[in-house]
Amino acid sequence: METEQSTVLYEAVAGDISSLIRSGTLAPGERVPSVRRLSRQRGVSVSTVVQAYRVLEDRGLIEARPQSGYYVRPQQRVLQEPSVSAPPRTPQLVGVHALVSRVLESAQATGMVPLGTAIPYAELVPTAKLRRILTDVARRMPDTIATYSLPPGRDELRRQIALRARDYGVRLEANEVVVTNGCVEAVNLCLRAVAKPGDVVALESPTYFGLLQIIESLGMKALEVPTHPRSGISLDALELAIERQRVKACLLMPTVSNPLGSTMSEAAKNRLVKMLADRGVPLIEDAVYSALHFGPVQPRAAKAYDRAGNVLLCSSFTKTLAPGLRVGWVAPGRYFEKVQMLKFISSVGVSDLLQVTIASFLENGGYDRLLRTLRKTYESQVRLFTQAVSRYFPAGTKVTRPTGGYVLWVEMPGGTDALELYERALAERISLSPGQMFSASNRYRNCLRLNCGIPWSQQTEDVLRRVGELAAECVRPGFS
Ligand SMILES: Cc1ncc(COP(=O)(O)O)c(C=O)c1O
């Protein structure tokens, strides 16, 4: 059990060693004092020093070499960020599903290292607590099993979601919320509520392939809009696009986008919401990663600026609490009735048993503490993966600086064929997500999305080193 005093002690030891490294007194490649020696020198316990060295390893400052001790890590290259994207200006019919399902299926094979799929850190899913709550609900409330669950969903869960909406800077009443089967269903219902086949939907570029698949399945067209890897969609480009053609809806991730990890500023969100309301274009806001923002407070959602009921806010508990329970929600603004009706005709309700289980966890299961742990863990994971990409990927590679979440977008040198890299990695039981999955126009052929939700270990580092080597072999001069 960690006490406050022990934390202060190991942080102090870690701080001293990192000062020595930063000042160059301990040079890259040099051995740092052994655990026993430092423990004697500082008059602290061996476990305090071990803990301090673990922290320094997590921060990428030192590395353990088996049977030899700890060494200062070699200097890092600092990789550039990708530039603002430049997708085509015309709407496209989408055809990503075949590639996406091939990649997702191959990722499921046993023994595969899941570097492509964005799956949460399994150790942090509170399965034991959820199992206890679920059993208790099933025993106390047999009706949750014996009767139909109907939309818009259970009051106790909708109340918890309305309370949590404050974290998004949004005032919501429980009766403004529809419970869904995950965020994907929420987005699907919203798109069907506001647009029809053939209509044009504006998106960030690159964007999450699941959103493209929904557009594809509904026969709509995707208009990819230039997007900055840190600050999100270009509002000037979006405005111009809306002036040029009839855009029926915008489907965006203004806070912690996938795959870029971008977050729009509050001012940009305000401008976005006003611009779309003035033009009568609804905004479907996918906020599934918002709670995993790395900043001290969760940024406000675009919905916080909505005065006209024009923003349909979608999210879920799949990325933070229980991926397998598939409980999500939407606050559809003035499209409430339509979304509720569509929910009913597509899949009736969401299991009452699961809804009450999630509601009970939100009420007294320590969700805020869990979120703090997730953010801290993912921030450190993203840092470690970024360092490994810097170390092992070919010269000229660029990488995002995500504002939250657990994916990295890696842009390899222009001639790299990410599909070839995907095939070659697959043969070595490593699954990757090639960039083409994230575009309606077959862009990003030299890009990859990396899942940083895999616990860090020597094996993880070895896998990233191998992917870097394969990437170097997939660079084809003249191919771009
Ligand atoms: C941006 C985004 N939206 C939605 C989803 C899917 O959410 P859910 O599992 O809650 O349906 C994902 C999953 O990766 C995602 O990245």
Side-chain angles (χ1 to χ4, degrees):
M1 184 73 185
E2 221 172 73
T3 63
E4 206 168 308
Q5 200 189 5
S6 71
T7 310
V8 171
L9 265 181
Y10 72 68
E11 279 291 356
V13 174
D16 288 352
I17 298 288
S18 62
S19 306
L20 293 174
I21 294 173
R22 290 190 205 288
S23 67
T25 312
L26 278 170
E30 197 176 325
R31 190 163 188 265
V32 298
S34 74
V35 171
R36 288 197 183 282
R37 201 172 122 215
L38 194 60
S39 132
R40 271 199 309 276
Q41 268 177 3
R42 297 282 309 240
V44 295
S45 70
V46 163
S47 67
T48 299
V49 179
V50 168
Q51 189 62 18
Y53 281 6
R54 281 206 189 116
V55 168
L56 292 171
E57 255 191 308
D58 284 350
R59 293 179 187 160
L61 290 172
I62 64 172
E63 62 190 5
R65 297 194 193 153
Q67 268 101 51
S68 179
Y70 286 94
Y71 290 79
V72 179
R73 267 199 187 269
Q75 291 284 315
Q76 293 285 323
R77 282 186 290 162
V78 177
L79 299 187
Q80 280 184 13
E81 267 178 289
S83 329
V84 178
S85 61
R89 292 189 186 158
T90 47
Q92 315 279 319
L93 275 169
V94 186
V96 295
H97 180 70
L99 174 63
V100 171
S101 55
R102 178 152 69 95
V103 170
L104 296 187
E105 251 167 56
S106 61
Q108 307 240 312
T110 39
M112 197 62 79
V113 183
L115 266 188
T117 37
I119 38 173
Y121 208 97
E123 283 79 356
L124 295 179
V125 176
T127 39
K129 192 176 263 181
L130 284 165
R131 198 179 54 231
R132 273 199 304 277
I133 299 176
L134 192 109
T135 318
D136 180 54
V137 174
R139 193 171 37 77
R140 279 189 304 107
M141 304 168 74
D143 274 3
T144 56
I145 299 172
T147 56
Y148 265 104
S149 314
L150 294 172
R154 296 286 299 208
D155 284 345
E156 50 273 70
L157 178 58
R158 296 163 77 216
R159 263 200 310 276
Q160 286 300 320
I161 292 168
L163 278 173
R164 295 260 154 209
R166 288 191 211 137
D167 300 343
Y168 296 77
V170 176
R171 275 161 174 259
L172 273 188
E173 301 290 333
N175 62 10
E176 294 174 278
V177 174
V178 178
V179 180
T180 60
N181 286 303
C183 187
V184 157
E185 188 185 44
V187 170
N188 199 322
L189 300 174
C190 291
L191 264 177
R192 288 162 63 199
V194 302
K196 57 183 188 324
D199 283 342
V200 174
V201 180
L203 301 142
E204 285 121 347
S205 181
T207 191
Y208 168 52
F209 53 78
L211 307 185
L212 291 171
Q213 285 176 294
I214 300 174
I215 293 179
E216 178 175 348
S217 72
L218 297 174
M220 297 173 186
K221 287 185 187 153
L223 179 64
E224 297 171 90
V225 179
T227 303
H228 186 278
R230 216 182 299 186
S231 57
I233 194 163
S234 157
L235 290 181
D236 291 340
L238 180 63
E239 192 162 26
L240 203 67
I242 293 177
E243 271 163 21
R244 279 216 197 101
Q245 54 224 318
R246 174 121 181 76
V247 170
K248 203 63 200 288
C250 284
L251 171 49
L252 304 179
M253 296 163 278
T255 311
V256 189
S257 67
N258 173 11
L260 292 176
S262 57
T263 293
M264 297 172 76
S265 68
E266 305 244 326
K269 285 175 183 163
N270 194 359
R271 181 180 155 202
L272 168 74
V273 171
K274 185 164 181 335
M275 179 172 107
L276 296 183
D278 288 349
R279 289 163 177 76
V281 179
L283 170 63
I284 302 170
E285 177 173 21
D286 179 336
V288 82
Y289 288 105
S290 295
L292 299 179
H293 187 270
F294 297 150
V297 284
Q298 183 176 326
R300 283 171 203 242
K303 174 90 177 163
Y305 301 95
D306 182 25
R307 304 282 169 267
N310 195 45
V311 180
L312 301 87
L313 178 64
C314 305
S315 193
S316 80
F317 300 101
T318 55
K319 300 291 173 190
T320 51
L321 182 52
L325 300 193
R326 307 253 355 101
V327 176
W329 56 272
V330 50
R334 61 193 162 90
Y335 298 93
F336 183 91
E337 304 294 338
K338 198 141 187 213
V339 166
Q340 180 178 352
M341 187 267 278
L342 286 166
K343 170 67 192 141
F344 185 81
I345 60 171
S346 16
S347 56
V348 190
V350 172
S351 152
D352 274 357
L353 179 59
L354 302 185
Q355 289 191 61
V356 179
T357 300
I358 297 278
S360 165
F361 191 99
L362 293 176
E363 201 179 341
N364 50 32
Y367 189 56
D368 291 296
R369 190 153 37 94
L370 173 66
L371 288 180
R372 282 196 293 278
T373 308
L374 288 172
R375 289 185 205 117
K376 210 167 124 200
T377 307
Y378 290 141
E379 191 171 11
S380 146
Q381 288 285 119
V382 164
R383 190 173 50 237
L384 291 166
F385 275 65
T386 306
Q387 284 163 357
V389 171
S390 318
R391 217 171 293 131
Y392 302 123
F393 274 58
T397 297
K398 297 178 181 176
V399 70
T400 45
R401 316 276 193 269
T403 61
Y406 46 85
V407 298
L408 277 178
W409 181 249
V410 181
E411 186 183 305
M412 296 170 290
T416 316
D417 181 352
L419 262 184
E420 182 190 344
L421 174 58
Y422 158 76
E423 300 287 358
R424 294 187 56 177
L426 199 61
E428 301 191 17
R429 310 206 70 68
I430 304 168
S431 91
L432 298 172
S433 290
Q436 291 95 322
M437 290 166 67
F438 302 84
S439 163
S441 52
N442 204 22
R443 310 230 126 201
Y444 311 118
R445 298 202 299 171
N446 57 327
C447 297
L448 277 185
R449 188 191 68 177
L450 284 182
N451 165 33
C452 309
I454 303 173
W456 187 256
S457 66
Q458 188 58 49
Q459 195 209 355
T460 316
E461 176 152 7
D462 292 345
V463 168
L464 286 164
R465 182 190 297 119
R466 184 64 191 137
V467 176
E469 285 165 6
L470 291 173
E473 291 169 21
C474 291
V475 181
R476 298 270 171 274
F479 168 103
S480 67

